[in-house]
Amino acid sequence: MPVPVVPHSEVDVLIIGAGPAGLMCANALANAKVNVRVIDKRAARVAAGQADGLSPRTIEVFQSYGIAERLLKESVQVHQAAFYNPSPSGGIELTSRTQDVVAPSARYPFEVYSMKPLGVEVEWSTLPASIEICKDEHVLMDPASHPVRVVLQKLDAPEGQLQEEIVHAKYVVGADGAHSWVRKQFDITMDGEQSDFIWGVMDMVPDTDFPDVRNKCLMHSNNGSILLVPREQDRLRVYVQLENKDIIDPATGRVDKDRMGPDEMLEVARKSFSPYKISPTTGFLWWTLYIIGQRVASQFSVKNRVLIVGDACHTHSPKAGKCLKSGPSLSIALVVRGWADLSLLSTYESERRKFALDLIVFDKMYSTLFSGKPLSQENSHGVAPEHFLKIFKQFGGFTSGIGVHYEPSIATLDKNQELASGLVIGERFPPYKFIRAADAWPFEIQDLLPADFRFKLLVFTGDFSDPLQNARVESMVATMQKPDSFLNRYATSSKGAENSRFDIITISKGRKEGFNFLQFPTLLRSHWSKVFIDDIDVTNSFGGKGYSYYGVGHEGAIVAVRPDGYVGAIAPLDHVEDLDAYFTSFMTAAV
Ligand SMILES: Cc1cc2nc3c(=O)[nH]c(=O)nc-3n(C[C@H](O)[C@H](O)[C@H](O)COP(=O)(O)OP(=O)(O)OC[C@H]3O[C@@H](n4cnc5c(N)ncnc54)[C@H](O)[C@@H]3O)c2cc1C
């Protein structure tokens, strides 16, 4: 019998795992026109359950890919959180209500439930059998090489047939969840521990007399804690704190799903819920049990060629984690496009691992407070409602994903912060509405910063009608147009606008009534739609305070925003050389 020939193929990026982390990464890479494949051992997509609560920052990210609109239309927005605590007369009572996501600059100050497909084709029923990285350092340093060899097997091959394929990838992204196969192949350890808190989760359309059923509710009762999250189509997600003895198999020490089902979980919830009543109208739509594990992988990448993302590199309680990210896709796309040096990939580990470690510290404190017994006469060390509320508010920025701060690296230049104190270097560019100079249309600035893998240069010119400021801007433009400036060294205009690495947006001071956008040098108005003014809108409802909100003075500034929406660098108008230094640290010359 002839031996079947195993086909070989090449791909820029192979993503293993089509959970939320893998799909976000695939979507971002596909968006940047990077050749990407996604495989998953499952036969089909999971219909419901995990990672369907999204933070404001994730929605901003979706917005930058142009896929947030449908999500916002079909989902439920959570604006308010209600806090319940033990009542002196028994049962629970309402103690306070507050805004759910308190990060003040979130463009969407609410959480959204129900994530819809991101439109990336997944190869289901496909399993990696082996993975190897080439050991030759020269090959590894060559950005055009395909040094990762992965053998794939089709699980749905006809019986008795082994369908294999050998894929040679430039990069492999391990997005294969908390028990990551990829991570184990490279002996990467998960550091941290499992908490003692076990929770049950169930989705239902409730029949209840509880008045806060359409708010997010955080309840401490003498019987355990409960979290309620309203969902789409009248559904409710109920998280119930459970007793370890009821669920853990003493022989294995692991959660045993046979010991507790949704009916038993509902019984526990009902005791904590008293005096209110709750029951499912049409049965349970989905349920699960989980133990909170708080662990971070000892490394997030192997030789900058295999990178692990999502639960494969950090796990924490679902209450803290609603900040899905496209992982290393920014750096991979820039490197694959030949725009950035391989060294940019190391910023993925330095930025995201630090964030993951900070998140775990917060999650431990938050989970302990949420799962802890309430303060009472018998329990003087219990959780005081005011303390829990304070922590909830304090960490709003963290849980919402808005407050992520990246430390200085080649991708974030820690200099000139005083020129734009409200645009924090290493943090995401905050939203504000400016008026388009040519036609007085108001525009949300974040909509002008799509995740299209270009760096955005926001030129705050100050008042261009002031002769001093006019001269400053003209001189800045002259410097930027010199042959050795970063714009000329790194722009790839010969390959057309689609390959341009920079997008220049001008934001001037001025009044729309007398403003002429044609007065700017052409570099600052590549198209009429690129010039904005910090002025109040035509209905006199909003706008006009952008400079002060961003902390930009009359002398102006240039702000380089990374393709992932984070502030990368700030430079004075009369010292563009700071941007030269920034881009030279990781960009490769145009070919
Ligand atoms: C009850 C519960 C509720 C949660 N709610 C939220 C929430 O509301 N919001 C939120 O952001 N997070 C939530 N989380 C956390 C969230 O589910 C995880 O953080 C998220 O699913 C992690 O995504 P991931 O893509 O890294 O991994 P996963 O979702 O685990 O996906 C991994 C994928 O890889 C595949 N895979 C695994 N091994 C292999 C292999 N060897 N080969 C090929 N494919 C493989 C799997 O089939 C799977 O499709 C919740 C978690 C739990 C337990």
Side-chain angles (χ1 to χ4, degrees):
M1 214 169 115
V3 182
V5 181
V6 180
H8 286 244
S9 63
E10 285 190 348
V11 69
D12 285 343
V13 185
L14 175 70
I15 298 180
I16 299 175
L23 289 178
M24 281 292 278
C25 195
N27 192 71
L29 288 167
N31 215 41
K33 302 193 171 44
V34 169
N35 168 14
V36 58
R37 279 176 70 179
V38 192
I39 61 153
D40 198 294
K41 66 179 181 184
R42 282 194 233 225
R45 178 188 304 281
V46 195
Q50 304 164 1
D52 36 13
L54 303 178
S55 74
R57 178 61 198 147
T58 303
I59 296 157
E60 286 178 356
V61 173
F62 281 7
Q63 181 80 24
S64 71
Y65 297 141
I67 53 176
E69 207 172 301
R70 180 169 161 209
L71 180 94
L72 287 168
K73 224 185 265 171
E74 295 178 12
S75 55
V76 162
Q77 300 165 9
V78 182
H79 289 259
Q80 188 166 244
F83 292 78
Y84 279 74
N85 283 286
S87 151
S89 55
I92 50 167
E93 65 179 8
L94 176 68
T95 46
S96 58
R97 285 187 184 136
T98 186
Q99 187 187 355
D100 179 36
V101 175
V102 291
S105 66
R107 183 166 160 210
Y108 299 102
F110 42 73
E111 292 170 24
V112 173
Y113 268 70
S114 185
M115 183 165 140
K116 293 284 174 187
L118 288 170
V120 178
E121 201 72 33
V122 177
E123 298 168 47
W124 299 106
S125 300
T126 308
L127 187 75
S130 69
I131 182 167
E132 275 170 56
I133 307 183
C134 170
K135 293 195 172 58
D136 186 332
E137 287 296 326
H138 288 103
V139 175
L140 288 174
M141 292 313 291
D142 175 5
S145 69
H146 292 76
V148 196
R149 181 183 187 273
V150 185
V151 178
L152 297 184
Q153 284 174 357
K154 285 300 281 178
L155 297 174
D156 53 2
E159 224 182 291
Q161 284 185 28
L162 182 63
Q163 269 185 16
E164 282 195 338
E165 178 189 352
I166 298 174
V167 178
H168 301 270
K170 285 184 176 168
Y171 302 94
V172 168
V173 174
D176 49 348
H179 304 288
S180 172
W181 174 88
V182 176
R183 191 183 66 222
K184 286 176 193 152
Q185 301 316 299
F186 295 99
D187 295 327
I188 299 173
T189 53
M190 283 295 261
D191 303 335
E193 61 222 32
Q194 190 138 293
S195 72
D196 295 331
F197 307 123
I198 303 183
W199 287 74
V201 196
M202 52 199 155
D203 281 356
M204 63 173 91
V205 174
D207 178 10
T208 180
D209 57 356
F210 183 61
D212 274 302
V213 70
R214 296 311 291 172
N215 284 322
K216 177 167 160 182
C217 291
L218 298 96
M219 305 173 172
H220 274 106
S221 87
N222 289 322
N223 185 56
S225 300
I226 293 191
L227 171 69
L228 299 184
V229 185
R231 298 191 52 134
E232 73 286 1
Q233 295 164 2
D234 293 344
R235 292 175 189 187
L236 180 69
R237 173 158 294 181
V238 184
Y239 291 80
V240 193
Q241 188 184 356
L242 302 169
E243 291 278 342
N244 295 15
K245 64 177 171 46
D246 296 336
I247 310 126
I248 299 284
D249 178 344
T252 63
R254 305 184 80 158
V255 169
D256 180 358
K257 263 192 155 185
D258 291 337
R259 288 169 184 255
M260 175 152 303
D263 289 311
E264 292 84 4
M265 272 157 39
L266 184 62
E267 270 324 297
V268 178
R270 279 186 174 137
K271 280 189 203 141
S272 313
F273 212 60
S274 161
Y276 303 100
K277 300 191 174 32
I278 186 165
S279 52
T281 48
T282 49
F284 299 99
L285 304 168
W286 172 82
W287 71 278
T288 193
L289 294 170
Y290 71 92
I291 301 192
I292 301 174
Q294 289 140 330
R295 298 193 178 100
V296 178
S298 52
Q299 60 191 87
F300 281 20
S301 91
V302 186
K303 305 225 174 257
N304 280 341
R305 291 292 189 162
V306 174
L307 302 109
I308 52 174
V309 301
D311 278 12
C313 58
H314 52 78
T315 59
H316 41 74
S317 81
K319 297 168 199 78
K322 301 187 196 67
C323 182
L324 298 173
K325 283 309 192 65
S326 42
S329 52
L330 154 70
S331 357
I332 294 180
L334 293 177
V335 174
V336 168
R337 280 181 155 235
W339 291 6
D341 191 76
L342 272 166
S343 60
L344 186 68
L345 282 166
S346 48
T347 58
Y348 167 60
E349 174 150 339
S350 63
E351 291 186 342
R352 294 304 293 178
R353 191 159 182 275
K354 160 88 172 54
F355 171 69
L357 290 167
D358 290 349
L359 182 64
I360 298 292
V361 170
F362 161 63
D363 189 34
K364 276 188 184 158
M365 175 175 64
Y366 189 69
S367 300
T368 307
L369 283 177
F370 195 24
S371 304
K373 289 253 178 255
L375 183 70
S376 64
Q377 272 186 342
E378 301 75 53
N379 184 14
S380 58
H381 296 295
V383 182
E386 353 21 283
H387 181 55
F388 185 58
L389 182 65
K390 189 173 139 215
I391 299 294
F392 178 84
K393 287 184 175 170
Q394 199 174 335
F395 287 97
F398 211 72
T399 50
S400 67
I402 301 293
V404 175
H405 180 96
Y406 294 145
E407 296 296 315
S409 70
I410 54 172
T412 46
L413 181 69
D414 190 17
K415 215 175 168 188
N416 306 318
Q417 182 64 79
E418 68 286 356
L419 295 177
S421 55
L423 298 173
V424 181
I425 298 164
E427 294 190 6
R428 72 90 164 90
F429 195 96
Y432 196 82
K433 284 200 170 104
F434 291 95
I435 306 301
R436 194 160 63 186
D439 56 5
W441 261 39
F443 268 81
E444 170 49 60
I445 190 82
Q446 284 191 342
D447 292 341
L448 306 171
L449 311 174
D452 60 1
F453 291 86
R454 280 183 186 81
F455 282 81
K456 318 295 178 311
L457 299 175
L458 270 60
V459 182
F460 291 86
T461 60
D463 181 358
F464 197 62
S465 62
D466 168 357
L468 201 70
Q469 199 56 21
N470 184 303
R472 204 178 253 158
V473 172
E474 293 285 1
S475 144
M476 175 213 78
V477 167
T479 313
M480 291 236 275
Q481 284 176 325
K482 283 186 183 161
D484 61 345
S485 110
F486 70 92
L487 262 193
N488 285 319
R489 267 187 296 149
Y490 303 125
T492 46
S493 50
S494 61
K495 291 187 181 167
E498 205 178 288
N499 285 296
S500 168
R501 301 181 191 184
F502 303 103
D503 188 15
I504 300 180
I505 296 166
T506 301
I507 303 177
S508 174
K509 283 193 163 192
R511 300 304 312 270
K512 55 191 172 303
E513 288 78 10
F515 202 86
N516 177 4
F517 73 93
L518 294 172
Q519 66 187 313
F520 285 105
T522 47
L523 184 76
L524 300 187
R525 52 176 176 90
S526 59
H527 189 257
W528 60 265
S529 61
K530 296 288 181 186
V531 183
F532 294 81
I533 34 179
D534 184 21
D535 194 10
I536 199 152
D537 81 306
V538 289
T539 64
N540 285 334
S541 313
F542 53 81
K545 296 197 175 107
Y547 268 66
S548 64
Y549 179 55
Y550 288 160
V552 179
H554 63 88
E555 71 285 0
I558 313 178
V559 180
V561 182
R562 308 185 334 185
D564 59 358
Y566 281 72
V567 178
I570 298 176
L573 296 184
D574 46 18
H575 206 265
V576 183
E577 291 78 3
D578 285 346
L579 290 185
D580 280 318
Y582 172 64
F583 288 113
T584 304
S585 69
F586 61 85
M587 270 205 176
T588 50
V591 280

